[in-house]
mmCIF file of all heavy atoms in Angstrom:
data_model
loop_
_atom_site.group_PDB
_atom_site.id
_atom_site.type_symbol
_atom_site.label_atom_id
_atom_site.label_comp_id
_atom_site.label_asym_id
_atom_site.label_seq_id
_atom_site.Cartn_x
_atom_site.Cartn_y
_atom_site.Cartn_z
ATOM 1 N N ASP A 1 -1.213 41.466 -16.217
ATOM 2 C CA ASP A 1 -0.629 41.699 -14.886
ATOM 3 C C ASP A 1 -0.978 40.713 -13.834
ATOM 4 O O ASP A 1 -2.029 40.861 -13.306
ATOM 5 C CB ASP A 1 -1.056 43.249 -14.453
ATOM 6 C CG ASP A 1 -0.186 43.689 -13.270
ATOM 7 O OD1 ASP A 1 0.506 42.928 -12.704
ATOM 8 O OD2 ASP A 1 -0.316 44.959 -13.039
ATOM 9 N N ILE A 2 -0.178 39.736 -13.719
ATOM 10 C CA ILE A 2 -0.394 38.705 -12.838
ATOM 11 C C ILE A 2 0.166 38.801 -11.456
ATOM 12 O O ILE A 2 1.487 38.909 -11.291
ATOM 13 C CB ILE A 2 0.120 37.309 -13.414
ATOM 14 C CG1 ILE A 2 -0.384 37.114 -14.818
ATOM 15 C CG2 ILE A 2 -0.265 36.120 -12.559
ATOM 16 C CD1 ILE A 2 -1.733 37.061 -15.162
ATOM 17 N N SER A 3 -0.684 39.055 -10.425
ATOM 18 C CA SER A 3 -0.181 39.462 -9.202
ATOM 19 C C SER A 3 -0.028 38.349 -8.172
ATOM 20 O O SER A 3 0.451 38.443 -7.107
ATOM 21 C CB SER A 3 -1.157 40.500 -8.511
ATOM 22 O OG SER A 3 -2.449 39.914 -8.397
ATOM 23 N N GLN A 4 -0.410 37.087 -8.654
ATOM 24 C CA GLN A 4 -0.099 35.899 -7.725
ATOM 25 C C GLN A 4 -0.163 34.589 -8.676
ATOM 26 O O GLN A 4 -0.808 34.616 -9.721
ATOM 27 C CB GLN A 4 -1.113 35.734 -6.641
ATOM 28 C CG GLN A 4 -2.431 35.071 -6.937
ATOM 29 C CD GLN A 4 -3.149 34.621 -5.755
ATOM 30 O OE1 GLN A 4 -2.801 34.883 -4.578
ATOM 31 N NE2 GLN A 4 -4.388 33.913 -5.965
ATOM 32 N N LEU A 5 0.599 33.605 -8.335
ATOM 33 C CA LEU A 5 0.601 32.391 -9.005
ATOM 34 C C LEU A 5 0.468 31.308 -7.907
ATOM 35 O O LEU A 5 1.397 31.202 -7.051
ATOM 36 C CB LEU A 5 1.852 32.246 -9.828
ATOM 37 C CG LEU A 5 1.801 32.999 -11.100
ATOM 38 C CD1 LEU A 5 3.211 33.005 -11.674
ATOM 39 C CD2 LEU A 5 0.865 32.499 -12.139
ATOM 40 N N LEU A 6 -0.522 30.456 -7.916
ATOM 41 C CA LEU A 6 -0.765 29.468 -6.832
ATOM 42 C C LEU A 6 0.090 28.168 -7.107
ATOM 43 O O LEU A 6 0.213 27.634 -8.261
ATOM 44 C CB LEU A 6 -2.234 29.046 -6.796
ATOM 45 C CG LEU A 6 -3.205 30.239 -6.409
ATOM 46 C CD1 LEU A 6 -4.677 29.743 -6.400
ATOM 47 C CD2 LEU A 6 -2.812 30.784 -5.019
ATOM 48 N N PRO A 7 0.715 27.620 -6.036
ATOM 49 C CA PRO A 7 1.368 26.341 -6.162
ATOM 50 C C PRO A 7 0.338 25.194 -6.082
ATOM 51 O O PRO A 7 -0.816 25.379 -5.777
ATOM 52 C CB PRO A 7 2.195 26.280 -4.986
ATOM 53 C CG PRO A 7 1.511 27.015 -3.856
ATOM 54 C CD PRO A 7 0.778 28.222 -4.727
ATOM 55 N N PRO A 8 0.818 23.988 -6.383
ATOM 56 C CA PRO A 8 -0.101 22.825 -6.288
ATOM 57 C C PRO A 8 -0.553 22.673 -4.714
ATOM 58 O O PRO A 8 0.095 23.018 -3.883
ATOM 59 C CB PRO A 8 0.823 21.550 -6.643
ATOM 60 C CG PRO A 8 1.925 22.230 -7.446
ATOM 61 C CD PRO A 8 2.143 23.553 -6.845
ATOM 62 N N ILE A 9 -1.592 21.904 -4.668
ATOM 63 C CA ILE A 9 -2.156 21.680 -3.330
ATOM 64 C C ILE A 9 -1.284 20.579 -2.620
ATOM 65 O O ILE A 9 -1.085 19.503 -3.337
ATOM 66 C CB ILE A 9 -3.665 21.239 -3.331
ATOM 67 C CG1 ILE A 9 -4.533 22.328 -3.860
ATOM 68 C CG2 ILE A 9 -4.090 20.750 -1.958
ATOM 69 C CD1 ILE A 9 -5.994 22.086 -3.910
ATOM 70 N N LYS A 10 -0.934 20.833 -1.564
ATOM 71 C CA LYS A 10 -0.033 19.905 -0.817
ATOM 72 C C LYS A 10 -0.909 18.841 -0.131
ATOM 73 O O LYS A 10 -1.635 19.240 0.804
ATOM 74 C CB LYS A 10 0.952 20.540 0.158
ATOM 75 C CG LYS A 10 2.014 19.635 0.843
ATOM 76 C CD LYS A 10 2.892 20.474 1.671
ATOM 77 C CE LYS A 10 3.961 19.553 2.380
ATOM 78 N NZ LYS A 10 4.857 20.386 3.258
ATOM 79 N N GLU A 11 -0.787 17.646 -0.413
ATOM 80 C CA GLU A 11 -1.519 16.594 0.215
ATOM 81 C C GLU A 11 -1.065 16.326 1.542
ATOM 82 O O GLU A 11 0.187 16.108 1.823
ATOM 83 C CB GLU A 11 -1.474 15.217 -0.644
ATOM 84 C CG GLU A 11 -2.134 15.394 -2.012
ATOM 85 C CD GLU A 11 -3.683 15.495 -1.866
ATOM 86 O OE1 GLU A 11 -4.203 15.149 -0.845
ATOM 87 O OE2 GLU A 11 -4.321 15.958 -2.886
ATOM 88 N N PRO A 12 -1.957 16.242 2.575
ATOM 89 C CA PRO A 12 -1.555 15.850 3.967
ATOM 90 C C PRO A 12 -0.923 14.519 4.084
ATOM 91 O O PRO A 12 -1.454 13.581 3.413
ATOM 92 C CB PRO A 12 -2.707 16.059 4.752
ATOM 93 C CG PRO A 12 -3.834 15.840 3.795
ATOM 94 C CD PRO A 12 -3.350 16.399 2.482
ATOM 95 N N GLU A 13 0.118 14.376 4.753
ATOM 96 C CA GLU A 13 0.834 12.999 4.830
ATOM 97 C C GLU A 13 0.014 12.165 5.792
ATOM 98 O O GLU A 13 -0.438 12.555 6.916
ATOM 99 C CB GLU A 13 2.250 13.240 5.424
ATOM 100 C CG GLU A 13 3.199 13.866 4.424
ATOM 101 C CD GLU A 13 4.511 13.967 5.015
ATOM 102 O OE1 GLU A 13 4.720 13.849 6.173
ATOM 103 O OE2 GLU A 13 5.573 14.067 4.183
ATOM 104 N N LYS A 14 -0.104 10.907 5.414
ATOM 105 C CA LYS A 14 -0.847 9.881 6.244
ATOM 106 C C LYS A 14 0.116 9.387 7.300
ATOM 107 O O LYS A 14 1.327 9.430 7.198
ATOM 108 C CB LYS A 14 -1.278 8.736 5.371
ATOM 109 C CG LYS A 14 -2.168 9.114 4.242
ATOM 110 C CD LYS A 14 -2.584 7.936 3.403
ATOM 111 C CE LYS A 14 -3.523 8.369 2.187
ATOM 112 N NZ LYS A 14 -3.816 7.185 1.339
ATOM 113 N N GLU A 15 -0.419 8.875 8.360
ATOM 114 C CA GLU A 15 0.314 8.453 9.447
ATOM 115 C C GLU A 15 1.350 7.299 9.111
ATOM 116 O O GLU A 15 2.376 7.250 9.529
ATOM 117 C CB GLU A 15 -0.579 7.830 10.549
ATOM 118 C CG GLU A 15 -1.529 8.861 11.240
ATOM 119 C CD GLU A 15 -2.329 8.306 12.407
ATOM 120 O OE1 GLU A 15 -2.122 7.223 12.748
ATOM 121 O OE2 GLU A 15 -3.150 9.177 12.976
ATOM 122 N N GLU A 16 0.897 6.415 8.165
ATOM 123 C CA GLU A 16 1.773 5.315 7.862
ATOM 124 C C GLU A 16 2.920 5.845 6.927
ATOM 125 O O GLU A 16 3.992 5.350 7.074
ATOM 126 C CB GLU A 16 1.024 4.288 7.035
ATOM 127 C CG GLU A 16 0.292 4.717 5.806
ATOM 128 C CD GLU A 16 -1.150 5.087 6.125
ATOM 129 O OE1 GLU A 16 -1.457 5.384 7.292
ATOM 130 O OE2 GLU A 16 -2.057 4.936 5.271
ATOM 131 N N ASP A 17 2.638 6.999 6.156
ATOM 132 C CA ASP A 17 3.721 7.672 5.424
ATOM 133 C C ASP A 17 4.741 8.234 6.322
ATOM 134 O O ASP A 17 5.991 8.278 6.135
ATOM 135 C CB ASP A 17 3.191 8.669 4.432
ATOM 136 C CG ASP A 17 2.431 8.081 3.394
ATOM 137 O OD1 ASP A 17 2.457 6.803 3.184
ATOM 138 O OD2 ASP A 17 1.590 8.764 2.731
ATOM 139 N N LEU A 18 4.295 8.878 7.510
ATOM 140 C CA LEU A 18 5.120 9.430 8.457
ATOM 141 C C LEU A 18 5.995 8.456 9.083
ATOM 142 O O LEU A 18 7.192 8.637 9.416
ATOM 143 C CB LEU A 18 4.342 10.306 9.486
ATOM 144 C CG LEU A 18 3.641 11.480 8.909
ATOM 145 C CD1 LEU A 18 2.684 12.150 9.991
ATOM 146 C CD2 LEU A 18 4.640 12.496 8.408
ATOM 147 N N GLU A 19 5.341 7.212 9.478
ATOM 148 C CA GLU A 19 6.020 6.189 10.159
ATOM 149 C C GLU A 19 7.058 5.471 9.302
ATOM 150 O O GLU A 19 8.170 5.210 9.778
ATOM 151 C CB GLU A 19 4.946 5.270 10.653
ATOM 152 C CG GLU A 19 5.605 4.059 11.534
ATOM 153 C CD GLU A 19 4.542 3.165 12.075
ATOM 154 O OE1 GLU A 19 3.356 3.516 11.920
ATOM 155 O OE2 GLU A 19 4.945 2.253 12.728
ATOM 156 N N TYR A 20 6.738 5.248 8.004
ATOM 157 C CA TYR A 20 7.752 4.576 7.191
ATOM 158 C C TYR A 20 8.217 5.387 6.017
ATOM 159 O O TYR A 20 8.487 4.981 4.975
ATOM 160 C CB TYR A 20 6.957 3.363 6.504
ATOM 161 C CG TYR A 20 6.488 2.498 7.635
ATOM 162 C CD1 TYR A 20 5.010 2.384 7.805
ATOM 163 C CD2 TYR A 20 7.222 1.545 8.329
ATOM 164 C CE1 TYR A 20 4.515 1.522 8.765
ATOM 165 C CE2 TYR A 20 6.778 0.729 9.319
ATOM 166 C CZ TYR A 20 5.387 0.669 9.530
ATOM 167 O OH TYR A 20 4.926 -0.167 10.464
ATOM 168 N N GLY A 21 8.237 6.773 6.317
ATOM 169 C CA GLY A 21 8.581 7.805 5.294
ATOM 170 C C GLY A 21 9.931 7.552 4.649
ATOM 171 O O GLY A 21 10.019 7.512 3.333
ATOM 172 N N SER A 22 10.888 7.055 5.300
ATOM 173 C CA SER A 22 12.262 6.813 4.741
ATOM 174 C C SER A 22 12.244 5.622 3.829
ATOM 175 O O SER A 22 12.956 5.651 2.810
ATOM 176 C CB SER A 22 13.368 6.577 5.823
ATOM 177 O OG SER A 22 12.936 5.465 6.600
ATOM 178 N N GLU A 23 11.404 4.642 4.059
ATOM 179 C CA GLU A 23 11.271 3.540 3.185
ATOM 180 C C GLU A 23 10.461 3.813 1.899
ATOM 181 O O GLU A 23 10.724 3.166 0.917
ATOM 182 C CB GLU A 23 10.714 2.358 3.930
ATOM 183 C CG GLU A 23 11.383 1.885 5.190
ATOM 184 C CD GLU A 23 10.669 0.889 5.955
ATOM 185 O OE1 GLU A 23 9.734 0.300 5.312
ATOM 186 O OE2 GLU A 23 11.058 0.443 7.078
ATOM 187 N N LEU A 24 9.670 4.825 1.989
ATOM 188 C CA LEU A 24 8.750 5.078 0.896
ATOM 189 C C LEU A 24 9.398 6.189 -0.148
ATOM 190 O O LEU A 24 8.835 6.354 -1.224
ATOM 191 C CB LEU A 24 7.452 5.647 1.301
ATOM 192 C CG LEU A 24 6.606 4.555 2.144
ATOM 193 C CD1 LEU A 24 5.408 5.367 2.724
ATOM 194 C CD2 LEU A 24 6.135 3.424 1.325
ATOM 195 N N VAL A 25 10.438 6.833 0.242
ATOM 196 C CA VAL A 25 10.996 7.800 -0.560
ATOM 197 C C VAL A 25 11.377 7.284 -1.967
ATOM 198 O O VAL A 25 10.986 7.902 -2.922
ATOM 199 C CB VAL A 25 12.282 8.481 0.114
ATOM 200 C CG1 VAL A 25 12.982 9.287 -0.923
ATOM 201 C CG2 VAL A 25 11.816 9.268 1.289
ATOM 202 N N SER A 26 12.013 6.107 -1.988
ATOM 203 C CA SER A 26 12.476 5.706 -3.251
ATOM 204 C C SER A 26 11.320 5.193 -4.206
ATOM 205 O O SER A 26 11.376 5.357 -5.384
ATOM 206 C CB SER A 26 13.441 4.483 -3.043
ATOM 207 O OG SER A 26 12.801 3.482 -2.340
ATOM 208 N N ASP A 27 10.199 4.738 -3.505
ATOM 209 C CA ASP A 27 9.151 4.292 -4.233
ATOM 210 C C ASP A 27 8.251 5.457 -4.800
ATOM 211 O O ASP A 27 7.696 5.270 -5.892
ATOM 212 C CB ASP A 27 8.092 3.416 -3.354
ATOM 213 C CG ASP A 27 8.817 2.136 -2.880
ATOM 214 O OD1 ASP A 27 9.775 1.752 -3.672
ATOM 215 O OD2 ASP A 27 8.469 1.633 -1.769
ATOM 216 N N ASN A 28 8.299 6.601 -4.087
ATOM 217 C CA ASN A 28 7.367 7.729 -4.548
ATOM 218 C C ASN A 28 8.227 8.815 -5.088
ATOM 219 O O ASN A 28 7.597 9.913 -5.310
ATOM 220 C CB ASN A 28 6.467 8.115 -3.364
ATOM 221 C CG ASN A 28 5.712 7.038 -2.830
ATOM 222 O OD1 ASN A 28 5.297 6.219 -3.558
ATOM 223 N ND2 ASN A 28 5.364 7.109 -1.461
#
C-alpha cells in the first residue's frame, strides 16, 4: 500500500543558466 511516490530532486538553476537559458536548451 504505497501512499506516496517522490519525484526526482529538482536542481536549482544557476544564474548563467537563467541568463542564457534559451541557448542552452538544445545542448541540455
Side-chain angles (χ1 to χ4, degrees):
D1 191 348
I2 310 300
S3 59
Q4 83 165 3
L5 289 166
L6 298 177
I9 294 177
K10 187 177 180 180
E11 295 290 341
E13 294 183 336
K14 300 178 182 179
E15 293 185 5
E16 56 267 25
D17 292 343
L18 293 173
E19 185 177 353
Y20 302 105
S22 59
E23 299 176 9
L24 296 173
V25 168
S26 59
D27 296 333
N28 298 333

